[in-house]
Amino acid sequence: MNWYQDSLIDEGVIISSRIRLARNLKKYPFPIKINNEQAKVMIEEAKGSIINDRTVLSNQFRFYQSESLSQIEKLSLLENHCISPEFINGNMNRGLLLKNDESISIMLNEEDHVRIQTISPGDNIDMAWDLADKTDNLIEEILEYAFDQDLGYLTSCPTNTGTGLRASYMVHIPMLEKSEQLTAIVQSIGKFGMTVRGIHGEGTQPLGSIYQISNQMTMGKSETEIIEVLKNVTVQVIERENIIRESTIAQQKEELQDQVYRAYGILAHCRKISCNEALSLLSQLRFGYITGLLELDKPKTNIYQMMMNIQPGHIQMKAGKNLSGAERDRLRADYIRGAL
Amino acid sequence: MNWYQDSLIDEGVIISSRIRLARNLKKYPFPIKINNEQAKVMIEEAKGSIINDRTVLSNQFRFYQSESLSQIEKLSLLENHCISPEFINGNMNRGLLLKNDESISIMLNEEDHVRIQTISPGDNIDMAWDLADKTDNLIEEILEYAFDQDLGYLTSCPTNTGTGLRASYMVHIPMLEKSEQLTAIVQSIGKFGMTVRGIHGEGTQPLGSIYQISNQMTMGKSETEIIEVLKNVTVQVIERENIIRESTIAQQKEELQDQVYRAYGILAHCRKISCNEALSLLSQLRFGYITGLLELDKPKTNIYQMMMNIQPGHIQMKAGKNLSGAERDRLRADYIRGAL
């Protein structure tokens, strides 16, 4: 079972909890300076630190060379948050270690030599942190990280130097998004060193009312302190979302109910649909199921999983070939009808 | 079974065939000049000519006094085309004779003393004409019509003088409506003395892509000649509609199929819906079933009947009380979900 098949991801505002650790190996130039030969050796060494280990954890990883991945595979991995948009760009030698349930991915030679990322379903940031910490130790047993006694872990971008940690929650906040309170909340979160971003991180658009709340600075605080602030800030966001939900449902229940049932009706019957429209309607469906406005049996597939499965990479992965936009729109509608 | 329960009404472009005869009784002033006392006597006499007759046909009529009908009942009768918008207006004494299957209605003291109207499901104008002619004879056996040897039947409005006949087809032409050809067709039909109007006749808006094609002049031609021209003109309209259907389906089948399935999805799941939106979506459904684009079992209730049942009068008749717009929108959605 992959992490996103857990029913926890469709139970509340929080979809998933994520930890990312940025690390670099002491004996290699940073990725911006590394040449292709050095990169190959570095990737092999980092890969070996996991794969050659004999623990239960390390046996669950598979290794992928970036050049051996097709564009569709890369897109699909990006949509699942296993790799970053940057991993796809350029012709750099890159590697990916992926745990079989996709809860841990380790990008090699992305912006930093090693980027450990762990995801847990629902509100489970401590579990994600624990996984990331264990993975980090596994590598550190074998390889020496670039570390400075005063600064902490050294990274390509100074904003990551220190703990190298980015802790984040992926949240679904359709009511807050519609309200005029989101901008104010983003601002007040900033004061705590936290930020709200789109679905694929920095500079990306929010889709399906899904946002990432994460820390901006990684220096000057311990990992546990950063995670604590993130938790506190996110509790506030959830509370605001829930307050608006309750008051809107109290005032316009029929209106909202009609909206979610129409979203269901369109998804369950349409013959073609764009990715953006589908994400927006699935967002309404998730809202409908969680609030109880949609009084129908939940589909077997999580709504969030459906949100990933309808994206261009996934649709083309399933078809096993490149598809035109029109073909994707048709197969997307077929998939959704089947899933509902 | 009422005429609109016949499956014929949802089988092609033509929904129904209608005949209207305008007649006045010789011994009374025309409705515009008649006083209340005279109107009462006139209505009684006209009513008697039908009700007191001992034929099988006359036994199937019920009589309604306009004052004894509630606003909701009047609205509902209007929506079923049993009475005209004019019948509802003003405080005139008016009467209505209605056959139990609603295929014949006789308005008394509307614009003329006697307005006979017959409707047959589908393409059956000859059957409607036969019914109207029989009813006309039934009355004429007892009462003397205002008739001039040169002019023919005399009527309040000179455009009806002559045969007093309006023959019409109610047609569903969604593709022609969307194309730019409708205006041209309306113009060319005019040359044959025919006209295209909205759903409730003169000056009313087309709803759900439904139009009435009918003769404009009633003088100078015999009833059979008028009906013949109407038939010829309507065949042209149907042919144009079908040509556009075929070419559009050939070019954009998926697009159209998606539209009709979305219409179905919304109708089958929405929790509230306005009358205009429902008519527009039901029109797409009718188009979808007839063209085979919608590959679902037809509902038990005819789509056209549903189009009448969702109108404000019918919704309130069913509820047995006056309802606000919001209440109607809710009950309309409930009714449609049930019917589909």
Side-chain angles (χ1 to χ4, degrees):
Chain A
M1 192 173 91
N2 287 5
W3 71 268
Y4 45 76
Q5 292 172 311
D6 194 304
S7 68
L8 271 178
I9 75 169
D10 268 350
E11 282 183 4
V13 170
I14 297 179
I15 293 169
S16 65
S17 310
R18 190 143 53 131
I19 293 291
R20 187 222 61 198
L21 294 173
R23 299 288 188 256
N24 286 281
L25 304 185
K26 195 172 180 182
K27 62 175 177 179
Y28 298 96
F30 276 18
I32 203 160
K33 294 251 181 173
I34 207 167
N35 66 37
N36 258 339
E37 274 318 299
Q38 292 169 312
K40 270 186 198 165
V41 181
M42 186 278 287
I43 290 170
E44 267 311 303
E45 202 167 359
K47 168 191 166 188
S49 73
I50 294 287
I51 298 282
N52 302 336
D53 194 73
R54 293 269 166 75
T55 61
V56 177
L57 180 60
S58 59
N59 282 334
Q60 298 174 56
F61 279 92
R62 277 199 63 182
F63 178 75
Y64 303 89
Q65 197 92 37
S66 65
E67 312 98 273
S68 66
L69 292 167
S70 71
Q71 278 306 319
I72 294 178
E73 284 170 318
K74 284 181 192 165
L75 201 53
S76 175
L77 286 165
L78 173 68
E79 290 161 3
N80 272 9
H81 297 276
C82 297
I83 59 173
S84 62
E86 181 157 346
F87 187 89
I88 291 181
N89 291 333
N91 287 315
M92 294 272 284
N93 245 319
R94 288 184 174 124
L96 171 70
L97 284 155
L98 187 62
K99 189 164 171 284
N100 51 12
D101 66 353
E102 299 189 17
S103 66
I104 310 178
S105 65
I106 307 168
M107 289 186 287
L108 302 175
N109 206 34
E110 195 240 27
E111 189 181 300
D112 295 296
H113 291 150
V114 177
R115 286 248 174 156
I116 300 166
Q117 196 190 227
T118 57
I119 315 186
S120 296
D123 183 6
N124 277 303
I125 195 95
D126 293 329
M127 193 207 272
W129 165 243
D130 188 54
L131 270 181
D133 196 32
K134 279 204 178 87
T135 313
D136 190 35
N137 292 338
L138 222 59
I139 300 172
E140 210 168 9
E141 270 173 29
I142 313 285
L143 301 169
E144 194 179 353
Y145 283 146
F147 184 82
D148 178 278
Q149 210 56 42
D150 292 328
L151 297 172
Y153 293 101
L154 302 176
T155 54
S156 296
C157 178
T159 56
N160 291 319
T161 298
T163 57
L165 171 76
R166 174 159 293 156
S168 66
Y169 282 115
M170 190 174 281
V171 292
H172 180 231
I173 44 175
M175 287 287 123
L176 208 49
E177 184 183 60
K178 240 199 278 178
S179 79
E180 273 140 39
Q181 299 179 32
L182 190 56
T183 322
I185 281 173
V186 171
Q187 280 173 355
S188 84
I189 281 177
K191 293 180 199 153
F192 297 95
M194 297 286 150
T195 183
V196 178
R197 304 166 204 247
I199 194 169
H200 285 297
E202 221 155 336
T204 64
Q205 286 298 308
L207 289 170
S209 305
I210 295 174
Y211 292 80
Q212 279 183 52
I213 309 175
S214 63
N215 60 308
Q216 245 169 331
M217 300 294 284
T218 74
M219 211 188 273
K221 282 203 173 101
S222 75
E223 287 86 348
T224 341
E225 282 169 333
I226 292 170
I227 291 172
E228 215 47 46
V229 177
L230 174 69
K231 281 181 183 174
N232 292 337
V233 155
T234 306
V235 163
Q236 305 291 322
V237 173
I238 295 172
E239 204 169 272
R240 287 266 21 111
E241 169 72 16
N242 283 334
I243 286 171
I244 308 178
R245 283 188 190 189
E246 274 171 40
S247 69
T248 317
I249 290 172
Q251 286 159 37
Q252 311 170 34
K253 185 175 176 186
E254 282 165 16
E255 185 68 36
L256 288 175
Q257 198 153 37
D258 182 52
Q259 276 170 23
V260 297
Y261 272 98
R262 280 171 182 248
Y264 181 87
I266 293 172
L267 289 170
H269 294 93
C270 69
R271 257 51 191 170
K272 61 194 198 72
I273 190 163
S274 74
C275 188
N276 279 1
E277 186 189 5
L279 284 173
S280 156
L281 295 177
L282 285 170
S283 165
Q284 291 188 45
L285 228 57
R286 190 177 189 274
F287 172 75
Y289 280 120
I290 289 177
T291 54
L293 287 170
L294 198 62
E295 293 156 337
L296 298 170
D297 288 340
K298 279 196 183 187
K300 270 191 211 159
T301 313
N302 288 322
I303 301 295
Y304 177 69
Q305 196 183 341
M306 289 174 65
M307 285 176 159
M308 292 198 289
N309 287 344
I310 59 159
Q311 291 183 47
H314 279 73
I315 296 285
Q316 293 177 100
M317 270 290 272
K318 206 179 158 208
K321 58 178 178 186
N322 283 308
L323 299 168
S324 70
E327 288 168 325
R328 290 203 300 270
D329 289 355
R330 201 161 54 236
L331 290 179
R332 182 175 295 117
D334 291 348
Y335 163 73
I336 296 172
R337 287 203 316 280
L340 291 178
Chain B
M1 193 173 90
N2 288 5
W3 71 268
Y4 44 77
Q5 292 171 311
D6 194 302
S7 67
L8 272 179
I9 75 170
D10 269 349
E11 283 183 3
V13 169
I14 296 180
I15 293 169
S16 63
S17 309
R18 191 143 53 130
I19 293 290
R20 187 222 61 198
L21 295 173
R23 300 289 187 255
N24 287 281
L25 304 185
K26 194 171 182 181
K27 62 175 177 177
Y28 299 96
F30 276 20
I32 204 159
K33 294 249 182 176
I34 206 167
N35 66 35
N36 258 339
E37 274 319 299
Q38 292 170 311
K40 269 186 201 165
V41 181
M42 185 280 286
I43 289 169
E44 267 311 304
E45 203 166 358
K47 168 190 166 187
S49 73
I50 294 287
I51 298 282
N52 301 337
D53 193 73
R54 293 272 166 76
T55 61
V56 176
L57 180 61
S58 60
N59 281 335
Q60 298 174 55
F61 279 92
R62 279 198 61 182
F63 177 75
Y64 303 89
Q65 197 91 39
S66 65
E67 313 98 273
S68 66
L69 291 167
S70 71
Q71 277 307 317
I72 293 178
E73 284 171 318
K74 284 181 193 165
L75 200 53
S76 175
L77 286 165
L78 172 68
E79 290 161 2
N80 272 8
H81 297 275
C82 297
I83 58 173
S84 62
E86 180 157 347
F87 188 89
I88 291 182
N89 291 333
N91 287 315
M92 295 273 283
N93 246 320
R94 291 184 172 124
L96 171 70
L97 284 156
L98 187 62
K99 188 162 172 286
N100 51 12
D101 66 353
E102 299 188 17
S103 65
I104 310 178
S105 67
I106 307 167
M107 289 186 288
L108 303 174
N109 205 33
E110 196 239 27
E111 189 181 300
D112 295 296
H113 292 149
V114 177
R115 286 250 175 154
I116 299 166
Q117 195 191 226
T118 57
I119 315 187
S120 295
D123 183 6
N124 277 303
I125 196 94
D126 294 329
M127 193 208 273
W129 165 245
D130 189 54
L131 271 179
D133 196 33
K134 280 205 178 83
T135 312
D136 191 35
N137 291 339
L138 223 59
I139 300 172
E140 209 167 10
E141 271 173 30
I142 313 285
L143 302 169
E144 194 179 354
Y145 284 147
F147 184 83
D148 179 276
Q149 210 56 43
D150 292 327
L151 296 173
Y153 293 101
L154 302 176
T155 54
S156 297
C157 177
T159 58
N160 291 320
T161 299
T163 57
L165 171 76
R166 174 159 295 156
S168 66
Y169 283 115
M170 189 173 282
V171 292
H172 180 231
I173 43 174
M175 287 288 122
L176 209 47
E177 184 182 61
K178 239 199 279 180
S179 79
E180 271 138 40
Q181 300 179 33
L182 190 56
T183 322
I185 282 172
V186 171
Q187 280 172 355
S188 84
I189 282 177
K191 293 180 199 152
F192 298 95
M194 296 286 149
T195 183
V196 179
R197 304 167 206 249
I199 194 167
H200 285 296
E202 219 156 339
T204 63
Q205 285 300 307
L207 288 170
S209 306
I210 295 174
Y211 292 80
Q212 278 183 53
I213 309 174
S214 63
N215 61 310
Q216 244 169 332
M217 301 293 285
T218 74
M219 211 187 274
K221 284 204 173 98
S222 74
E223 287 86 348
T224 342
E225 282 169 334
I226 291 170
I227 290 172
E228 216 45 49
V229 177
L230 174 70
K231 281 181 184 174
N232 292 338
V233 156
T234 305
V235 163
Q236 304 292 321
V237 173
I238 295 173
E239 205 169 270
R240 286 270 16 117
E241 169 72 16
N242 284 334
I243 286 171
I244 307 178
R245 283 188 190 190
E246 273 170 43
S247 70
T248 317
I249 290 173
Q251 285 160 36
Q252 310 169 34
K253 183 171 178 190
E254 283 166 17
E255 185 67 37
L256 288 174
Q257 196 153 36
D258 182 52
Q259 275 170 25
V260 298
Y261 271 98
R262 280 171 182 248
Y264 181 87
I266 293 172
L267 288 170
H269 293 94
C270 68
R271 258 50 195 173
K272 62 197 199 69
I273 191 163
S274 74
C275 188
N276 278 2
E277 187 189 3
L279 284 173
S280 156
L281 296 178
L282 284 170
S283 165
Q284 291 189 44
L285 228 57
R286 189 177 190 276
F287 172 75
Y289 281 119
I290 289 177
T291 53
L293 287 171
L294 198 61
E295 293 157 337
L296 297 170
D297 287 341
K298 278 196 183 188
K300 270 190 211 160
T301 314
N302 287 322
I303 302 293
Y304 178 69
Q305 196 182 340
M306 289 175 63
M307 284 177 160
M308 293 198 288
N309 287 344
I310 59 159
Q311 290 182 47
H314 279 73
I315 295 285
Q316 293 177 99
M317 271 290 271
K318 207 180 158 209
K321 58 178 178 188
N322 284 309
L323 298 169
S324 70
E327 287 168 326
R328 290 203 300 271
D329 289 355
R330 203 162 49 237
L331 290 179
R332 181 176 296 117
D334 291 348
Y335 163 74
I336 295 172
R337 285 203 315 283
L340 292 179

